[in-house]
Amino acid sequence: MTLPISADLIAEHNAQRAEALHEDYEALGRKLARSGIAIDGIKARAAGFSVAVPSWGAGRGGTRFAKFPIPGEPTNIHEKLEDCAVINQLSRATPRVSPHFPWDKVSDYKALREEAASLGLGFDAVNSNTFQDQPGQAHSYSTGSLSSTVAATRAQAVAHNIECIEIGQQLGSRDLTVWVGDGTNFPGQQDLARSLDRYLEAAAEVYAALPDDWRMLLEHKMFEPAFYSTVISDWGSSILAAQELGPKAKCLVDLGHHAPNVNIEQIVARLHRFGKLGGFHFNDSKYGDDDLDSGSINPHQLFLVFNELAEAEANPRDGFNPSYMIDQSHNVTDPIESMLSSAEAIAQCHAKAALVDRQALHAAQEANDTMMAFQALRRAYTIDVSPILAMARMEAGGAIDVLEAYRASQWRSRKAQERKAVGLGAGIV
Ligand code: RM4
Ligand code: MN
Ligand code: MN
């Protein structure tokens, strides 16, 4: 294995900060011990946590107005893997990459899997793309994909999803994430009931092609690109579709795919209650599917989501194995920096959820002691868990301060010398 950042650089970086970290870790350990919590147990839990990064997140995103590329940005899956390896090497929390097809198409997937492994990476869920036409494609997705009124278009969308499964098998993936942009912009444009029928029929063909140990993750989204109606617009449509498809179909919650202020943590609890919680796309949002960095707008909501996940883990139904993935668009930052910072924000909420005194919480809930129930959450939320994460990272070979180590490596400016420039234009993610 050849990791991209020099081990000496990380060792030197850590050597300068280790003493302060030990002090902070011990102080926090004493504080937690007073509440009966062993810090090493929380650290072990943090060390076991990981979140996948999206291949497309390694490039600069954009809006439909513009994209502003940066020098040294990756332009193909090989360069993207290299950047993802940097993120994992420093954070030790992102060992898998979620690829998107056909964006990440190559001729030899066995070789791609080996290339990833040589960088310390594996592959997570494969994502199909039937929301864009590709050059030379026989049928346009302008009428929708799995729910299109055109039978040949639906068949093409089914075939593409099945191809994604086949690619995923070669890459070692076990999940197919299906998000369709299908919907309408005008009342009356399509029959709202029949479009769902067509989706269900086509999705069942994809489902039938799933290997036994695979899952199909259905991702709902309220609007965009369709602005009047969307076929799988909400968790209700998603869970109904997943229930109709069968046990291997689960729901994936992209945090940005809801109306503003929707209680997402409650959706998480509901999906889990019915054994249909399949995974997450982490990001943050202010207005819509903004794809902002995780925890940058509403870190408390992220914590509450993890609090429900901790409850779910303690009460598993149909197995508890949600797949965690970042899905962000980095329009104004270096994507590596955004993913380092986001992975940390996500891991922090995971660790904080583990600090909740569940006995106290449940007792307060039973006694209808509203304030103490709330305080059980508040006490955990306000604890700064960064020394726990930094210690877990350092012990795993990562960097104590991921962003400072990344900047010290001068990775981006070095890549700017080697990589070809990205073209201008609008970016969809
Ligand atoms: C969608 C959705 C999908 C992602 C695409 C690029 O809004 O979040 O998960 O694959 O964007
Ligand atoms: Mn998503
Ligand atoms: Mn999205």
Side-chain angles (χ1 to χ4, degrees), residues 52-338:
V53 293
S55 61
W56 62 99
R60 262 291 190 113
T63 64
R64 57 204 162 105
F65 298 101
K67 167 171 167 164
F68 301 102
I70 49 169
E73 199 181 316
T75 53
N76 55 51
I77 182 64
H78 311 289
E79 293 175 350
K80 287 176 185 174
L81 283 179
E82 251 196 323
D83 284 11
C84 294
V86 171
I87 301 167
N88 186 46
Q89 187 183 3
L90 297 174
S91 72
R92 302 290 162 158
T94 60
R96 292 173 311 282
V97 177
S98 190
H100 216 299
F101 295 102
W103 293 341
D104 296 325
K105 237 177 169 161
V106 295
S107 53
D108 186 346
Y109 290 102
K110 189 171 166 279
L112 191 69
R113 187 177 181 174
E114 282 163 11
E115 182 181 332
S118 75
L119 291 163
L121 299 170
F123 286 97
D124 207 83
V126 282
N127 298 259
S128 58
N129 177 341
T130 59
F131 48 87
Q132 261 183 333
D133 286 348
Q134 303 301 328
Q137 184 178 305
H139 306 282
S140 170
Y141 290 128
S142 58
T143 61
S145 60
L146 291 176
S147 79
S148 169
T149 48
V150 183
T153 307
R154 294 198 299 277
Q156 176 182 281
V158 169
H160 168 66
N161 275 285
I162 294 175
E163 186 194 358
C164 285
I165 297 172
E166 286 160 4
I167 295 173
Q169 284 182 290
Q170 297 179 63
L171 293 178
S173 305
R174 291 234 300 251
D175 290 326
L176 170 72
T177 298
V178 182
W179 172 69
V180 293
D182 297 28
T184 65
N185 274 17
F186 288 88
Q189 185 182 335
Q190 280 187 8
D191 184 297
L192 297 179
R194 284 191 208 118
S195 57
L196 182 59
D197 287 340
R198 290 191 296 269
Y199 169 89
L200 288 170
E201 206 184 299
E205 289 181 47
V206 177
Y207 184 90
L210 281 178
D212 288 346
D213 56 349
W214 270 60
R215 299 183 303 176
M216 183 166 166
L217 304 179
L218 309 183
E219 180 177 0
H220 59 274
K221 172 165 166 168
M222 187 178 56
F223 75 98
E224 192 204 22
F227 290 101
Y228 168 64
S229 73
T230 291
V231 176
I232 302 296
S233 53
D234 49 23
W235 74 275
S237 310
S238 180
I239 196 170
L240 288 169
Q243 280 173 338
E244 190 146 323
L245 287 173
K248 291 185 278 181
K250 306 272 179 190
C251 304
L252 180 138
V253 179
D254 182 313
L255 297 187
H257 288 190
H258 308 88
N261 302 325
V262 158
N263 188 336
I264 299 176
E265 56 273 24
Q266 189 175 27
I267 294 175
V268 172
R270 289 283 184 277
L271 290 175
H272 175 66
R273 164 66 182 77
F274 294 97
K276 286 297 188 190
L277 184 62
F280 285 87
H281 277 180
F282 291 115
N283 51 51
D284 215 335
S285 131
K286 180 81 180 160
Y287 303 106
D289 188 22
D290 311 330
D291 284 330
L292 297 171
D293 286 18
S294 299
S296 63
I297 304 291
N298 191 347
H300 191 239
Q301 174 180 263
L302 188 58
F303 163 72
L304 294 175
V305 164
F306 273 102
N307 178 54
E308 289 310 321
L309 288 167
E311 288 286 335
E313 194 177 343
N315 302 285
R317 287 174 197 261
D318 284 355
F320 175 79
N321 183 27
S323 90
Y324 297 131
M325 206 192 88
I326 292 174
D327 182 9
Q328 298 176 168
S329 179
H330 311 112
N331 304 347
V332 295
T333 51
D334 177 329
I336 291 182
E337 295 195 359
S338 266

